[in-house]
Amino acid sequence: MKILMNFLKNNFILAVFTLLVATASCSFTNDTVDPGDKEKEQLLVNLISHVLKRNHFSPADLTDEFSKEVFDNYIKDMDPGKRYFLESDYKEFQAYEYLIDDQIRDSKVDLFNLTYERLLQRQEESQKIFTGLIANPFDFSVDERINTDYDQIPYSKNKKELKDHWRKLLKLAALGTYYDKVEEQKEQPEEEQKSLAELEKETRAEIKKSMLENFDLTEDVERLDYFSVFVNTITTHFDPHTNFFPPQNKDRFDTSMSGKLEGIGARLQKKMDYISVLEIISGGPAWKSELIEVGDKILKVAQENDTIATSIVGMRIGDAVELIKGPKGSKVILTLKKVDGSIEDITLTRDIVQIEETFAKSVIGQDDAFRFGLINLPKFYFDMEDPSGRAAGNDISKEIQRLKTEGMDGLILDLRNNGGGSLREVIEMAGLFIDQGPVVQVALKDKRTRTLRDSDSGEILWEGPLVIMVNEFSASASEILAAALQDYDRAVIIGSKQTFGKGTVQNFEDLNQWVRNNEYGDLGAIKLTTQKFYRINGGSTQLEGVKSDVVTPGRYSYIEVGERDEQFPLPYDEIPKADYNKFTGYANLAESIKKAQERVDANPNFQLLNENAKWLSNQREDNDIPLNLIAYTERLDRLEKETEKFESLSDYKNTLDFDMLAYEKALVKTDSALGDKREAWIKNLKKDIYVEEAVNVLKELRMNNIKNDNKTKWSVKD
């Protein structure tokens, strides 16, 4: 099959697997609930509702309508594919359909208790259904279909209907694998070909193995995880970005924002009770020791003063990670089953591990004689615990200085897929490109507003041509920076029609601070919306996002993504604009933007991308899938024929040259993993049509004289 067809088919089959095991578990050891858990859950509901009412920017009213909407979302989230609950279960749950608001006020979680216990029961029954179904051959000659729009199908009336629903889901998961096996062996000599029955048996064995591995993983799902689903259907009714974070989830969030952790520097995965090494992080203790390798299984963990090691075989992976990680300088002893089968104890000294993909990275590019810098910023990271830790604003400053040393003529800042981060880092970063002045306006709960400014009157770090790349997933802090530099006429924004549209600010509140004499352990935290932010021109990015100056088509151009497509977003509004001076260093900014848009619109590759985006959008509506091999093959053949014209997009290569910066070339001499990552990134940049157009815009701006008088560059009031 062609590349695009493989992408569609493989992602669809992956979605089926995810759906099948989303909340599944193959054994249940926690049917009996500690009364303390229920008391803790009631306390959490009380605390969270109090904090939301007191501190949320726009608290929701607890009404029957609120209750109905929370109920619908919660039941859907607990069983999105309708693989567990029966119609009779749903009718029983409906007793609480209009009572959730009252239950919250009374700090009760009766609906959660009922649905959780019923889910465990139905999961156990469904495990037996799976075991029975996977033992019997699939008949791919039967003419039948499955509707994969699970919102539109009813709950099964009885266990017979539920079994048939599972049968179709498993058959759909198997059909793609079976089809591939049939097609692949057509290329083999006839005497080496297997019978269709043998191929079907192999297919079932692979499906069974994958399902059992996933069932084993989801055994790790605890009552608290399900309770978080319940609570977050309540919090997200206030707005999509208000969420409850259990302790481990909060730790993971902090790690993702700081880009560091204290531990051994290895990513782990769990398969069939065993926790193994998936990746070794460059520069960490595991990497430095050369004693551990990818594929090693960790059998036991001991701290340096322990007399007996703790077995982690069968342990929840989150609990195992808690045993393995620890403060810098402490030692941990791991019992490993090596890839070669030998058993070995190793001792590692924990350290601070940097997660490299969190941080900004840059390359120097060349287009004929024009040299440009490109900085990719995954998020506006910062260290919550260490003010002197790595932060996005400082790192971007360093990258710009390095690129200037390399002789860049223009700069591209890539904010595609950057979901945001620290507001402080936005202010810091904006100051690298503008004279002192306002960057963003913030509205508080009491409707007071304040303006956050770059107050640094020092030298602007980069005054040359600047392009910012965005897409539909550039959100929050990304939108603040893009909006500010657009309002100042300082940068050209190129990308999707609009960015995500998140114009709100969130803060964490530690729930433990609200409780005296806490006997329930760490209660976690709540991330809640406390402010809205506005552009310096008075507009908002809420719902509307940032409109690109140069609009380029992309995969999601005709698919509903973004804040405006969330169920309960805060509304768009405007406030008075701030007082600021526009940048006048570009001699023909408007003309360059106009030429760029004309160039994009006339580009056959962009036209093909636009057509492909429409096609992908239409495929999302195709939820009626045949389970008959002949009909399935005909469907794939039709889709392949439709996508043939898009194949050239996979082969596209631009004419740009890219190279690592001098300091990184020195680093990769001792860190081959970093070198491999940079080579893969550069390979992708060579296939990036959007970067090519960003360079064209830079060259347009560079062709015009930029005035050297700093005062005249910021002389126009707006």
Side-chain angles (χ1 to χ4, degrees):
M1 296 300 293
K2 300 292 186 180
I3 293 174
L4 183 57
M5 287 305 305
N6 279 333
F7 171 81
L8 287 168
K9 180 164 68 67
N10 292 338
N11 277 272
F12 184 78
I13 297 302
L14 177 62
V16 173
F17 268 115
T18 303
L19 184 68
L20 281 167
V21 299
T23 54
S25 179
C26 59
S27 66
F28 306 99
T29 58
N30 55 351
D31 289 45
T32 58
V33 180
D34 187 335
D37 287 342
K38 292 187 177 183
E39 293 174 3
K40 180 178 180 179
E41 290 158 3
Q42 292 171 348
L43 173 63
L44 281 168
V45 168
N46 180 279
L47 284 176
I48 290 169
S49 61
H50 173 74
V51 173
L52 287 172
K53 183 178 180 180
R54 177 188 176 98
N55 295 335
H56 192 274
F57 182 84
S58 180
D61 293 327
L62 302 186
T63 63
D64 283 353
E65 181 182 3
F66 168 94
S67 180
K68 164 69 172 156
E69 290 167 342
V70 169
F71 174 85
D72 290 342
N73 289 334
Y74 171 60
I75 300 302
K76 177 182 175 181
D77 288 347
M78 287 291 274
D79 185 15
K82 296 177 179 172
R83 300 167 320 285
Y84 302 116
F85 294 143
L86 299 172
E87 183 182 274
S88 58
D89 296 325
Y90 181 76
K91 288 180 178 178
E92 187 175 350
F93 302 155
Q94 280 186 303
Y96 295 93
E97 191 170 17
Y98 296 101
L99 296 179
I100 294 176
D101 54 326
D102 302 307
Q103 292 256 306
I104 292 172
R105 280 187 281 266
D106 295 337
S107 302
K108 292 183 177 179
V109 291
D110 293 345
L111 174 63
F112 171 70
N113 289 329
L114 173 62
T115 52
Y116 173 71
E117 291 162 8
R118 187 64 48 82
L119 182 64
L120 294 186
Q121 175 190 341
R122 297 300 185 216
Q123 284 177 332
E124 190 167 21
E125 293 168 355
S126 294
Q127 171 66 16
K128 294 175 182 177
I129 290 174
F130 164 74
T131 302
L133 289 171
I134 205 67
N136 298 308
F138 291 112
D139 187 350
F140 296 117
S141 66
V142 176
D143 187 13
E144 60 181 345
R145 310 179 76 85
I146 184 172
N147 181 3
T148 57
D149 185 358
Y150 303 109
D151 287 344
Q152 301 303 315
I153 65 173
Y155 285 97
S156 299
K157 289 185 172 62
N158 49 51
K159 292 181 181 179
K160 182 180 178 181
E161 284 190 8
L162 185 63
K163 181 178 180 180
D164 195 58
H165 184 42
W166 266 89
R167 180 187 64 80
K168 287 186 175 182
L169 286 169
L170 290 169
K171 187 176 181 181
L172 178 58
L175 186 53
T177 302
Y178 180 71
Y179 170 86
D180 287 341
K181 289 180 178 293
V182 172
E183 291 297 306
E184 286 168 6
Q185 82 163 7
K186 288 180 180 179
E187 306 298 323
Q188 299 173 352
E190 187 173 346
E191 62 273 13
E192 295 180 12
Q193 293 184 10
K194 299 177 182 178
S195 69
L196 294 180
E198 289 176 305
L199 295 180
E200 189 280 336
K201 187 175 182 180
E202 286 182 2
T203 297
R204 269 188 299 120
E206 291 178 16
I207 296 298
K208 181 178 181 179
K209 182 175 182 291
S210 297
M211 287 290 293
L212 289 177
E213 287 176 353
N214 282 289
F215 284 147
D216 182 66
L217 280 176
T218 53
E219 264 194 339
D220 287 351
V221 181
E222 295 182 331
R223 181 181 172 97
L224 178 59
D225 300 309
Y226 289 111
F227 181 70
S228 298
V229 173
F230 173 68
V231 171
N232 282 324
T233 54
I234 295 171
T235 62
T236 53
H237 197 291
F238 285 66
D239 81 283
H241 310 289
T242 293
N243 307 102
F244 166 59
F245 281 69
Q248 287 190 353
N249 292 21
K250 178 59 166 59
D251 289 344
R252 285 193 286 268
F253 179 88
D254 291 347
T255 297
S256 72
M257 275 294 116
S258 68
K260 73 173 188 181
L261 55 84
E262 289 184 299
I264 66 170
R267 288 192 173 93
L268 309 177
Q269 67 174 353
K270 184 181 179 187
K271 263 189 183 181
M272 301 304 290
D273 286 337
Y274 287 99
I275 293 172
S276 59
V277 177
L278 179 64
E279 180 186 355
I280 296 172
I281 300 173
S282 297
W287 180 81
K288 291 177 181 177
S289 75
E290 299 183 348
L291 297 173
I292 189 168
E293 58 187 314
V294 172
D296 286 352
K297 294 176 180 176
I298 305 175
L299 305 180
K300 297 179 182 179
V301 179
Q303 311 308 318
E304 55 186 318
N305 296 321
D306 287 350
T307 55
I308 300 176
T310 301
S311 171
I312 63 169
V313 177
M315 184 180 288
R316 188 176 189 257
I317 191 168
D319 295 334
V321 169
E322 288 299 311
L323 287 176
I324 295 169
K325 73 179 187 179
K328 175 182 177 180
S330 61
K331 288 181 170 58
V332 62
I333 300 96
L334 305 179
T335 301
L336 303 178
K337 183 176 182 180
K338 302 292 290 180
V339 176
D340 62 9
S342 62
I343 306 297
E344 183 179 336
D345 284 350
I346 67 167
T347 300
L348 298 175
T349 301
R350 299 176 177 108
D351 202 349
I352 294 176
V353 180
Q354 301 278 354
I355 304 172
E356 185 269 335
E357 55 263 35
T358 302
F359 306 119
K361 58 186 176 183
S362 63
V363 290
I364 189 72
Q366 189 94 18
D367 186 19
D368 296 328
F370 185 82
R371 287 176 69 77
F372 62 92
L374 187 150
I375 303 175
N376 175 269
L377 183 67
K379 62 184 67 176
F380 288 78
Y381 51 87
F382 66 109
D383 194 327
M384 291 184 177
E385 297 179 353
D386 182 6
S388 63
R390 289 191 68 169
N394 189 48
D395 282 359
I396 292 293
S397 174
K398 291 178 181 178
E399 295 300 325
I400 292 174
Q401 292 176 49
R402 290 164 176 157
L403 289 166
K404 288 171 71 173
T405 301
E406 299 271 356
M408 73 168 172
D409 301 310
L411 175 62
I412 300 168
L413 181 59
D414 188 354
L415 298 181
R416 290 176 295 179
N417 302 311
N418 183 320
S422 169
L423 187 59
R424 182 192 69 186
E425 296 309 308
V426 178
I427 311 301
E428 179 81 13
M429 207 174 297
L432 304 176
F433 306 108
I434 65 171
D435 197 4
Q436 58 181 334
V439 175
V440 64
Q441 301 184 89
V442 177
L444 308 178
K445 181 177 180 179
D446 60 7
K447 308 306 179 185
R448 289 183 297 118
T449 61
R450 57 192 178 99
T451 302
L452 305 182
R453 309 173 61 87
D454 166 46
S455 57
D456 185 2
S457 59
E459 180 183 357
I460 300 169
L461 188 58
W462 179 248
E463 294 186 275
L466 177 63
V467 168
I468 295 180
M469 300 179 67
V470 298
N471 64 8
E472 293 88 349
F473 300 102
S474 303
S476 195
S478 293
E479 295 174 290
I480 295 175
L481 183 64
L485 297 183
Q486 186 180 59
D487 289 344
Y488 274 113
D489 285 346
R490 178 63 190 90
V492 175
I493 313 300
I494 181 170
S496 54
K497 184 178 179 181
Q498 72 165 72
T499 54
F500 189 86
K502 178 180 177 291
T504 55
V505 180
Q506 286 73 41
N507 289 295
F508 274 99
E509 284 212 29
D510 183 355
L511 293 174
N512 298 286
Q513 69 179 332
W514 294 92
V515 182
R516 294 181 180 177
N517 303 319
N518 178 13
E519 59 185 278
Y520 301 108
D522 193 343
L523 297 172
I526 183 170
K527 175 170 68 71
L528 73 161
T529 297
T530 55
Q531 302 169 340
K532 289 179 73 174
F533 62 78
Y534 297 83
R535 303 173 66 135
I536 56 176
N537 70 4
S540 173
T541 61
Q542 180 64 12
L543 305 183
E544 295 294 315
V546 177
K547 304 293 195 299
S548 292
D549 298 311
V550 181
V551 178
T552 56
R555 176 174 292 168
Y556 298 97
S557 293
Y558 300 96
I559 295 174
E560 293 182 349
V561 293
E563 188 88 358
R564 64 193 182 281
D565 301 307
E566 297 284 353
Q567 192 174 3
F568 305 111
L570 296 184
Y572 173 90
D573 60 346
E574 298 180 1
I575 63 173
K577 66 182 181 181
D579 186 25
Y580 62 100
N581 297 324
K582 285 196 173 186
F583 178 71
T584 59
Y586 298 132
N588 67 338
L589 178 63
E591 182 182 351
S592 295
I593 290 172
K594 182 174 182 293
K595 285 182 178 180
Q597 191 63 64
E598 290 172 349
R599 194 163 49 240
V600 167
D601 294 342
N603 186 317
N605 286 308
F606 277 123
Q607 291 172 355
L608 194 59
L609 275 167
N610 188 60
E611 192 174 346
N612 183 39
K614 290 180 180 178
W615 185 86
L616 287 170
S617 177
N618 291 334
Q619 294 314 302
R620 287 168 59 88
E621 305 302 319
D622 184 8
N623 299 307
D624 186 36
I625 312 298
L627 297 177
N628 171 279
L629 180 62
I630 295 175
Y632 182 82
T633 303
E634 290 174 348
R635 179 177 183 271
L636 288 184
D637 289 344
R638 172 179 59 80
L639 293 175
E640 181 180 2
K641 188 174 182 180
E642 290 176 4
T643 58
E644 283 177 354
K645 58 186 172 183
F646 304 131
E647 286 301 312
S648 62
L649 295 174
S650 302
D651 302 326
Y652 174 83
K653 287 186 179 180
N654 57 47
T655 59
L656 307 173
D657 293 318
F658 299 92
D659 198 8
M660 286 186 290
L661 274 59
Y663 86 100
E664 282 202 328
K665 288 181 180 179
L667 290 175
V668 299
K669 290 179 180 179
T670 57
D671 187 352
S672 60
L674 176 63
D676 292 341
K677 289 177 182 178
R678 289 296 182 265
E679 286 180 12
W681 181 37
I682 288 174
K683 184 178 179 180
N684 287 331
L685 290 174
K686 287 285 294 179
K687 301 172 67 174
D688 197 325
I689 188 174
Y690 304 98
V691 170
E692 185 173 46
E693 182 50 40
V695 173
N696 289 334
V697 174
L698 284 179
K699 292 173 73 174
E700 287 278 351
L701 293 169
R702 175 162 167 70
M703 289 169 59
N704 297 281
N705 291 325
I706 298 179
K707 301 173 184 178
N708 293 319
D709 182 359
N710 190 55
K711 291 182 180 179
T712 62
K713 289 181 183 179
W714 302 93
S715 60
V716 178
K717 284 274 187 181
D718 193 271

